Amino acid sequence: MDSNGIAEKQGLEGDGDLQFLMNGGDLLKVRSGSWKKTRYYKLQEDCKTMWHESKKTLKSKQTFSVEDIDEVRTGRQTESLRKYTEESVEGRAFSILFKGRQKGLDLIASSEEEAKKWVGGLEKVISNIKNLTPQKKTEHWIYSCLRKADKNFDNKISQKEIKSFLRDINIEVSEDYGEMLFQKCDKSKCGFLEGKEIEHFYEILTQREEIDVIYEEYAKTDGLMSAADLLNFLLNEQKEDVSQNDALQLIEKYELDENAKAKQQMTKDGFLMYLHQPEGLISNLAHKSVYQDMNQPLNHYFISSSHNTYLLEDQLKGPSSTEAYIKALLKGCRCVELDCWDGSDGEPVIYHGYTLTSKVLFKDVIKAIQENAFKTSEYPLILSLENHCSVEQQKIMAQHLISILGSALITKPLGDQMPTCLPSPEELKGRFIVKGKRLDKLEDMFSESKTADEESVTEEEDDEGDEEDQEKKSSKTKSLKLAKELSDIVIYCKSVHFHGFEDSQDKQSFYEMASFKEGKAVKLAEESANDYIRHNIDKLSRIYPAGLRTDSSNYNPVPLWNAGCQIVALNFQTACPEMDLNRGLFLQNGQSGYNLKPSYLRDRDTKFDPITLPDGPWLKNKTLHVMVITAQQLPKVSERKSSIVDPVVKVQVYGVPADTTMVETQYIENNGFNPMWNENFQFDVRVPDLALVRFSIEDYDSSSNNEFIGQYTLPFNSLKNGYHHVPLLTKNGDHLSSAGLFVHIMVVDAE
C-alpha cells in the first residue's frame, strides 16, 4: 500500500501540511547552549513514523512513532529552549514531547511559516490517528506490517513473507497452518498473494469468532440486528436500563453500512464498532463526567496527590523539572509538592535537599503550574510547600505566588466571617490553596490583634529520613523562621504535628492538617482504623512515602484510602501497580482528582472498621463473575523479531483486606494477536464502595518473572454488566493503540 492509500485511510489525502511533512526538511535541534545541530526530519510513508538523520553521518538514522508523541508545544515553552535560545526565535521554535520518560525534542525551523507547517502537520496526523476507528487502526497497522514484510516491494506477498509478517504482528503458527492459510487465499495458485487475495487474508486474520457467536445469537432479522434485536441484547446481556430509542441511536451512531442504517438495522461490523466505543467499554460512561456531589467540605473527598512532584526519576540524582509538574497536572493531580530551598541570586529553587538532584527555579515552577493547573480538572489545586528557605527568600516565594497566581490564589477565607468547616471543591473551582506553616490561628484574621513580622515555628517532620533516623532527631526540635508574607497566604491547609487522636480532637482546628510518613500511617490504619477514620472526617491528612524509597518506588495507597485519608501522595513519575490503582480510583468523576468518600467515611458516629468489618451499611455483599474471553493485538515485550508473547491474564480485586484477592488464566503459547481463554472466575466483594478491579496481561515466563504487557484498573462501582472491551494502558498510563481485552462481567447480590 502506498503513502496515498494510507493517507486516504487517515482522511488526509491531498492535505498540504501532510505533504510538507512527507517531503521533510531541516530543523535545528537544541540540546544545550553549545549543542545545536541541523537534522533532517520527514514523515515516512506509513504516515505515522517520523524519520531523522544527521547531515554529517548518513549512518545515523533514527525513527520515532507519531503515536508516542504526548504533545507538540509551540514557542520556547520548555526549560531548554528558554535557557539556551534567544527570544528572537520564539516564533520559529517548537518542542515535541513524548509519553513516558522519553526525552523530548527542542527544534527551531528556518522560518515562522515553516514552524507553523511542522506543528500544524504533526497535530493533524496525531489527531487523525487518535480519531481512527478501532477497525481502521487495525487495518492501518496490518497493512503497514504487510508493507514491511514485502521485502522486494512488488506489492505481492510470498508464503515466506507471510510467516515473517505473522511474527511481526505477534503470532507464531505451525508450518501446516501457515501453508493452509496461504493456500486458502491464493485463489490464482501462483505462489503469492496480491490485490483481493491480500484483502481476503486480512479478513480471515481479523475475524472475531467470539463476536460472530454473540451477534448471530441476537441477529434475528434476515441475518442482521434490527433495533428490537439490539434492544434485546442490551436488556438481556448488558443489563442496561434502555429503550428501543436508545438502540436506534446506537445504530445511527455506529452503523457503517448506509443501506442497513436506512433500514434501522445493525451489521456485524456496526456491532463490533459499537463494542469498541465508550458505550461498549467496561467502565460506566456516566462516570466519565463529574457525577458526584461536589458541595461537601474538602476533607470529605479523596484527592489525587503527588509526592516530590518536581522529580522526573529517582530521589538522589535525577532531574528536577517543570515538566514533571505539567505531566502530573495533566494526569488530574490536585495536590503537588514544592520542596523549597535558598537559591543563588536571591531566587528560591526547588530540588530534593542534600541530594544531587538538579534544581529548578521556584518562579518557573509556579508559572508552569499556573498555565497547566486547570486543563484536566477545574477543581482546586493544593500547593504543598516543604519550606527550607531563609526569611528573605520566603518573602520572594510569597511575592511570586501572589503575582503569578493573582486572584486565583486563596489569600483569605471565603465569606466575611470565620468559617467552621472547609469549603467545597465546587466553591473553590479554579483556585489555588497553599499548604504550609502559619504563624497564628486563622481566627486571628478576624480579630484586631497583630502578629510580629516574623516568628519561629516548629518545623514539620517532613524531612523524610527513615524512621530510626527520625527517632534520633525527635529529641532535637528544629525551628524555622517564617516570613509573615508567606504565613499569611496559608489559609485552609495549615501544617501541624500529629500528637495522637485525642490531642487532635481537643486542639486541632478544621483547617489544620498533619502529614504522616507511610509507616506510621499504615500502622494507624491497621491498629486504630476507626479512630483514624473519625479523625479524617473533620481534618485533612497527607501521607507521604518513606525516605528510604530513594528509587521513587511507591506504597499501596488502598489501606490509607480505607482509613479515610484524603491526600495519599505517590511518586507520579514512577510506573508501578500502585500508580495504576491511583489512576484507577481517579478515573471516575470526570478525572476531576476529587472522589467523594462513602457516607460511612464521612459520618462522625461511624462504626466502620476495614479490618474487623462489623455489621453496617458498608456491607453490600456482591458476587462478581468475570469471564476472560479474548485479547486483541497485544504488543511485543521483546525487540527480538522471533519473540512472540505467551499472554496470561490476571484479575485482581483491591479493597478491604477481606476483599483483596487475585486469580489468573492459563497462558496461551505464541499468540499475542488474538489469544482466546474463555475462563470463568468468581469474586465475593463485601465492601464494593472501596474496591478497585485491576485487569493485567503479562508475558508468561516459566524461568523468571513474567513481563508486563498492559493493564486497566477501575472502581468496582464503575463496572458494567455484559460483554465489554477493556482498554489497555502502558506502564506510564498511556493507551495501547488497538490492543484490548474482551470480557463478560456480571455483578449480582450475594446469596
Side-chain angles (χ1 to χ4, degrees), residues 176-217:
D176 291 347
Y177 181 77
E179 188 172 346
M180 182 272 289
L181 197 60
F182 188 84
Q183 298 302 340
K184 194 172 179 180
C185 298
D186 183 15
K187 305 281 190 202
S188 59
K189 304 297 174 198
C190 59
F192 51 78
L193 309 183
E194 63 179 330
K196 292 282 183 193
E197 293 172 336
I198 292 177
E199 283 182 30
H200 183 45
F201 174 69
Y202 169 80
E203 283 162 12
I204 292 173
L205 205 58
T206 54
Q207 186 180 3
R208 293 276 303 272
E209 211 179 297
E210 73 282 20
I211 302 295
D212 294 353
V213 170
I214 301 163
Y215 182 78
E216 282 156 20
E217 174 80 19

Side-chain angles (χ1 to χ4, degrees), residues 578-589:
E578 293 80 15
M579 266 308 295
D580 295 341
L581 296 171
N582 193 80
R583 220 176 275 116
L585 178 70
F586 293 104
L587 183 72
Q588 61 182 328
N589 208 29

Side-chain angles (χ1 to χ4, degrees), residues 413-440:
L414 303 182
D416 302 325
Q417 294 179 318
M418 178 63 200
T420 55
C421 67
L422 291 173
S424 70
E426 190 64 36
E427 290 174 289
L428 291 166
K429 263 185 183 174
R431 305 299 295 272
F432 296 94
I433 302 165
V434 174
K435 172 197 168 289
K437 289 291 182 185
R438 185 180 169 93
L439 291 168
D440 55 0

Side-chain angles (χ1 to χ4, degrees), residues 305-307 516-519 521-522 541-547 549 551-561 565-571 574 576-582:
S305 306
S306 159
H307 169 253
F516 301 81
K517 190 181 296 179
E518 65 169 277
V522 168
S541 288
R542 175 178 169 270
I543 320 301
Y544 61 91
R549 293 186 182 273
D551 57 353
S552 293
S553 59
N554 279 310
Y555 55 95
N556 181 2
V558 174
L560 288 317
W561 291 327
C565 299
Q566 303 88 346
I567 300 178
V568 181
L570 298 177
N571 288 301
T574 304
C576 58
E578 293 80 15
M579 266 308 295
D580 295 341
L581 296 171
N582 193 80

Side-chain angles (χ1 to χ4, degrees), residues 72 85 146 159 285 288 318 335 373 500 578 639 643 679 697 747:
V72 182
T85 63
L146 280 167
Q159 191 167 335
L285 194 53
K288 289 200 92 169
C335 177
E578 293 80 15
E639 293 301 311
S643 173
E679 291 191 45
I697 306 187
V747 177

Side-chain angles (χ1 to χ4, degrees), residues 441-454:
K441 289 186 168 293
L442 195 59
E443 290 82 349
D444 294 341
M445 289 186 80
F446 296 88
S447 69
E448 297 300 311
S449 61
K450 302 283 182 194
T451 57
D453 281 350
E454 59 191 62

Side-chain angles (χ1 to χ4, degrees), residues 170 635-645 699 707-708:
N170 212 358
K636 292 188 173 197
V637 292
S638 168
E639 293 301 311
R640 290 201 324 276
K641 189 177 172 64
S642 60
S643 173
I644 311 292
V645 300
D699 182 12
E707 281 195 79
F708 175 90

Side-chain angles (χ1 to χ4, degrees), residues 26-152:
D26 286 342
L27 289 167
L28 187 69
K29 183 176 174 182
V30 178
R31 275 195 185 159
S32 68
S34 57
W35 200 103
K36 295 175 185 172
K37 296 184 182 179
T38 301
R39 294 285 182 262
Y40 186 76
Y41 289 81
K42 75 187 287 274
L43 182 68
Q44 289 192 316
E45 287 187 345
D46 65 358
C47 292
K48 64 173 195 176
T49 307
M50 287 295 291
W51 173 82
H52 54 109
E53 71 170 347
S54 162
K55 276 289 183 70
K56 287 181 182 173
T57 54
L58 290 174
K59 289 178 189 171
S60 169
K61 295 177 186 175
Q62 291 179 298
T63 62
F64 61 84
S65 171
V66 172
E67 290 182 280
D68 291 336
I69 297 175
D70 196 31
E71 181 189 357
V72 182
R73 205 178 287 170
T74 53
R76 297 161 62 249
Q77 294 298 312
T78 61
E79 286 169 33
S80 294
L81 282 176
R82 280 196 291 260
K83 193 171 176 183
Y84 303 128
T85 63
E86 301 298 320
E87 275 185 45
S88 58
V89 303
E90 181 71 35
R92 297 192 284 128
F94 66 97
S95 302
I96 298 173
L97 303 172
F98 295 100
K99 296 169 183 173
R101 289 189 179 180
Q102 189 177 340
K103 203 170 176 147
L105 291 170
D106 290 317
L107 304 163
I108 299 172
S110 55
S111 69
E112 288 194 18
E113 190 186 347
E114 279 208 0
K116 280 178 186 162
K117 283 184 177 177
W118 279 108
V119 172
L122 282 167
E123 285 180 340
K124 216 172 270 186
V125 174
I126 293 164
S127 170
N128 275 275
I129 288 174
K130 272 186 188 166
N131 293 330
L132 284 176
T133 65
Q135 285 97 318
K136 283 286 181 195
K137 273 186 189 170
T138 300
E139 190 179 333
H140 191 177
W141 174 60
I142 286 177
Y143 276 107
S144 293
C145 291
L146 280 167
R147 271 179 72 252
K148 201 164 131 194
D150 181 13
K151 302 294 183 199
N152 55 359

